[in-house]
């Protein structure tokens, strides 16, 4: 079955830039979406269609794509950004929705 | 603002059945592609099924772990989405969310245990 691969963890110091990658064979032809989830809370959509940001999401959050690797970029990381981050996309036939395994962001 | 509400989660024995419900305010569910996503305790998000909007045919897709055991349906008069689960397994335990991905509810907890 189709899989999206994320690093299990990323650590950055406050004020630095965090980059969380998501790799998958179908990503050149499928959009990626990114979610933030804090403990005990529902996921929050951060980025849709690779690079678009919903209203209310800070500009510090951005997305980029390059072939089979998409990246969530968090600029000027703050302590409150500590959370789990998930990418989501679809298989090449657009039949199945798939989530990456999630990346735990630690702010040092 | 759109708000989603899931309910119906419970403690069920292995092999049992359960129906989850999802209602929404600010969103007409039959106009949206709606998915159910679950999260096992301490684990990541797992997409399990989807129904397309009525105008797109209302067809459904299911992930392999639940195919043949779970069904998804709507009651347009009540603006409610349902997830009917049967043949429940211990590994079906988790918080179940209904979502069209822009908006998420708080989820409802399903525990499958003897």
């Amino acid at each position: 079955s189709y899989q999206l691969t994320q690093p299990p963890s990323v650590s950055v110091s406050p004020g630095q830039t965090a980059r969380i990658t998501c790799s998958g064979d179908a990503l050149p032809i499928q959009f990626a979406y990114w979610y933030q989830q804090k403990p005990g809370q529902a996921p929050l959509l951060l980025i849709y269609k690779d690079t678009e940001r919903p209203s209310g999401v800070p500009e510090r959050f951005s997305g980029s794509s390059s072939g089979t690797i998409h990246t969530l970029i968090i600029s000027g990381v703050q302590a409150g950004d500590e959370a789990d981050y998930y990418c989501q996309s679809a298989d090449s036939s657009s039949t199945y929705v798939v989530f990456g395994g999630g990346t735990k962001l630690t702010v040092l | 603002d759109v708000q989603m509400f899931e309910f119906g989660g419970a403690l069920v024995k292995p092999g049992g059945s359960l129906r989850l419900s999802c209602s929404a305010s600010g969103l007409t569910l039959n106009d949206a592609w709606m998915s159910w996503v679950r999260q096992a305790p301490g684990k990541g998000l797992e997409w399990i099924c989807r129904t397309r909007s009525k105008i797109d045919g209302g067809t459904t897709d299911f992930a392999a772990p639940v195919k043949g055991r779970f069904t998804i349906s709507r009651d347009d008069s009540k603006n409610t989405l349902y997830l009917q689960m049967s043949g429940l397994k211990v590994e079906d335990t988790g918080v179940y969310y209904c979502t069209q991905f822009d908006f998420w509810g708080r989820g409802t907890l399903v525990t499958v245990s003897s």
Side-chain angles (χ1 to χ4, degrees):
Chain A
S1 62
Y2 182 56
Q3 293 183 335
L4 296 174
T5 301
Q6 297 180 235
S9 63
V10 167
S11 299
V12 294
S13 298
Q16 292 192 328
T17 297
R19 292 178 174 83
I20 298 172
T21 59
C22 175
S23 65
D25 290 343
L27 285 177
I29 61 170
Q30 295 289 1
F31 286 123
Y33 300 75
W34 290 93
Y35 302 87
Q36 176 193 67
Q37 188 180 35
K38 296 183 178 180
Q41 297 184 17
L44 173 71
L45 179 66
L46 292 177
I47 299 291
Y48 65 98
K49 293 185 179 180
D50 293 348
T51 60
E52 301 297 314
R53 194 171 44 247
S55 61
V57 173
E59 292 182 7
R60 303 186 295 105
F61 294 90
S62 62
S64 70
S65 64
S66 179
T68 60
I69 298 178
H70 288 225
T71 304
L72 173 68
I73 301 163
I74 310 172
S75 305
V77 167
Q78 303 172 359
D81 297 331
E82 212 168 73
D84 294 323
Y85 292 84
Y86 296 91
C87 63
Q88 176 234 311
S89 188
D91 68 321
S92 57
S93 68
S94 300
T95 301
Y96 301 106
V97 174
V98 180
F99 284 94
T103 298
K104 182 175 182 58
L105 176 68
T106 299
V107 182
L108 300 171
Chain B
D1 277 5
V2 174
Q3 289 187 304
M4 317 289 293
F5 308 92
E6 304 93 344
F7 46 98
L11 171 62
V12 186
K13 291 187 183 328
S17 298
L18 192 65
R19 188 178 79 165
L20 305 183
S21 303
C22 168
S23 63
S25 63
L27 175 69
T28 301
L29 293 181
N30 68 4
D31 289 342
W33 290 38
M34 296 299 301
S35 284
W36 287 93
V37 173
R38 69 184 180 188
Q39 188 167 33
K43 302 297 184 182
L45 301 172
E46 179 188 17
W47 174 83
I48 55 173
C49 60
R50 169 182 60 199
T51 179
R52 293 172 178 76
S53 63
K54 194 171 185 178
I55 198 170
D56 287 326
T59 51
T60 56
D61 298 296
F62 294 87
V66 305
K67 196 169 187 177
R69 299 189 297 125
F70 290 12
T71 59
I72 189 171
S73 61
R74 305 177 199 254
D75 183 334
D76 294 343
S77 67
K78 296 180 179 179
N79 198 32
T80 299
L81 181 73
Y82 301 103
L83 180 67
Q84 179 67 49
M85 306 184 291
S86 61
L88 283 163
K89 306 175 181 181
V90 170
E91 52 265 38
D92 293 320
T93 294
V95 175
Y96 283 68
Y97 300 97
C98 76
T99 180
Q100 39 79 275
F101 299 118
D102 287 6
F103 304 102
W104 297 68
R106 289 178 165 269
T108 187
L109 177 62
V110 174
T111 303
V112 184
S113 174
S114 54

